[in-house]
Amino acid sequence: MTRPAVRVLLAVPLPVLWGLVAGWWTPRGPGAEGPALVSIGVSLAVGLAAGWLSRSRWAMVAAPVAYAVAVELARIRLRGPSVDRPHLSGFGVVVLLTGRGVHGALYLLPRAFPAEASPADATS
């Protein structure tokens, strides 16, 4: 029997891999319907896999955080308003919400919900 913390750690590499791919494939977020739908579908599959592998609700936290860190590392080489450090100005807030906000909603939310539906063990 594997301990819950170890199972959560086993579920993290898949979101990291998808985060690196997504950061390379759509560094500024999906720009059309096709990439957005593919992103949602793959994120849903990664969320299901993370929930199934971990069998813990901690996957709802671990998988999206691992994904977000991987995306930021994958696009760190880029320059521009939607990928640089956020600025506390009117334009900076709009860019943050439309850039990272929409990107996060398309990728992170589908990943968290399947983990909630996964069978949780009695110790978590």
Side-chain angles (χ1 to χ4, degrees), residues 32-114:
E33 298 86 8
L37 291 173
V38 169
S39 300
I40 291 170
V42 173
S43 293
L44 186 63
V46 169
L48 283 169
W52 183 79
L53 285 170
S54 70
R55 290 182 174 68
S56 171
R57 292 191 178 129
W58 279 105
M60 285 190 330
V61 175
V65 168
Y67 169 82
V69 169
V71 166
E72 291 298 324
L73 290 175
R75 64 185 190 178
I76 201 164
R77 62 183 162 64
L78 300 173
R79 297 289 175 244
S82 64
V83 292
D84 277 344
R85 185 184 66 200
H87 298 281
L88 292 177
S89 66
F91 179 71
V93 171
V94 169
V95 168
L96 181 67
L97 292 176
T98 58
R100 287 186 172 104
V102 172
H103 196 180
L106 289 174
Y107 285 81
L108 296 176
L109 290 177
R111 182 174 289 94
F113 289 123

